[in-house]
Amino acid sequence: MTASALRAARPAADPRPVPRPAMLRYARLDLRRQLRDRIGMFFIVGLPTFMYLVFGLGSQDPVGSGNVAMYVMISMACYGAVTATTGVAGSAATEQVMGWGRQLGLTPMRPLAFVAVKAALAMVVAALPVALIFAIGAATGARGAWSDWLTSAAVVWAGSALFAVYGLAVCLVFRGPNAPGIASGMIVVMAFLGNVFTPMSGFMLDLGRLTPLYGYAALARFPLTDGWLPSGVRDPLWLPVANVLAWTVIFALLALWGVRRSRART
């Protein structure tokens, strides 16, 4: 048999894009898997909600255009949202590294479709703690202007995408099954340093301004506080914006380096 005949007999790779119903079916199954992870859902939804009830419930002291309850509510929603996006993106990176990507390579689903599904899934899961904590806050005394509610909720939800990049970067750098745990554990440390759990002042506040969660949480609370902190100092709007942009670039570069390193080893 000639070489041309062999090429003709060989099955060609299917150039067609993955059918949309198949993508939706995969997204539905993966979302169901995420929601069935009780431990993961506890840290994404249960723990931030519990912390709001402990630290924010009934706190009617004024803060900016609202009260302390709303300040705590926004902070805990930030924590829940970034835990969600970090976990989903981190698990996606680990799945690729540990061989799930090879399995998907046998299906019509292309890498870009996989990334799109995972990104959409991360944002859907991140919406759960935001919606629940804001609903509980509205029912239990959190007060603020309606524009503060809408703007803060949008920033909390959309800004959590930064930590999808963070989760991806960490899990590509620390390759292995424990990488998502490392990424999630570092979120707790960054939340303390980032003025999310407890108000800071002095040197710790100056240090916290350089950490990833500080800019994100400060930007989410900005509609309520206009940048004023419990310590009596004010952050101008450019500071949290610059923080978010800088860490976006840093995490994106780390993720890119991790991708190149993984390809170099294969």
Side-chain angles (χ1 to χ4, degrees):
M1 184 177 290
T2 64
S4 59
L6 285 173
R7 285 193 296 268
R10 185 184 305 158
D14 187 359
R16 294 172 298 175
V18 59
R20 185 166 297 179
M23 287 180 58
L24 294 177
R25 192 179 307 117
Y26 173 75
R28 184 175 66 252
L29 292 173
D30 206 11
L31 178 61
R32 188 181 302 172
R33 179 178 65 86
Q34 293 287 339
L35 297 179
R36 285 177 175 174
D37 182 2
R38 297 178 182 177
I39 296 178
M41 284 296 106
F42 169 76
F43 285 104
I44 291 171
V45 179
L47 183 59
T49 302
F50 173 76
M51 294 176 70
Y52 165 72
L53 294 175
V54 170
F55 298 110
L57 187 64
S59 301
Q60 298 298 325
D61 294 338
V63 171
S65 56
N67 58 12
V68 171
M70 185 168 181
Y71 183 95
V72 176
M73 178 194 74
I74 296 171
S75 299
M76 294 305 104
C78 287
Y79 177 68
V82 301
T83 302
T85 53
T86 297
V88 174
S91 65
T94 302
E95 288 170 3
Q96 289 289 308
V97 171
M98 301 304 291
W100 179 236
R102 298 189 186 94
Q103 296 295 323
L104 287 177
L106 302 176
T107 73
M109 180 173 285
R110 296 294 180 262
L112 184 60
F114 175 79
V115 171
V117 168
K118 286 294 187 179
L121 179 63
M123 298 312 293
V124 169
V125 177
L128 298 179
V130 178
L132 179 61
I133 294 172
F134 269 62
I136 293 175
T140 56
R143 296 291 178 264
W146 67 268
S147 58
D148 299 342
W149 286 80
L150 293 178
T151 308
S152 294
V155 173
V156 170
W157 180 73
S160 65
L162 164 62
F163 289 86
V165 183
Y166 156 79
L168 184 65
V170 171
C171 291
L172 287 171
V173 172
F174 298 98
R175 296 168 53 131
N178 295 325
I182 295 173
S184 298
M186 290 171 64
I187 285 290
V188 178
V189 176
M190 289 190 293
F192 276 106
L193 292 175
N195 217 29
V196 175
F197 290 153
T198 56
M200 298 185 300
S201 60
F203 170 75
M204 292 304 297
L205 178 61
D206 294 335
L207 177 64
R209 285 191 174 106
L210 303 176
T211 60
L213 259 171
Y214 185 91
Y216 164 64
L219 202 58
R221 294 189 297 248
F222 202 91
L224 173 71
T225 64
D226 194 35
W228 288 98
L229 302 176
S231 59
V233 299
R234 183 179 182 273
D235 286 335
L237 180 59
W238 66 263
L239 194 151
V241 171
N243 178 287
V244 169
L245 292 177
W247 281 107
T248 300
V249 172
I250 292 171
F251 292 149
L253 291 175
L254 280 175
L256 181 61
W257 176 71
V259 169
R260 289 179 174 175
R261 188 182 67 159
S262 64
R263 290 178 178 175
R265 291 184 176 181
T266 56

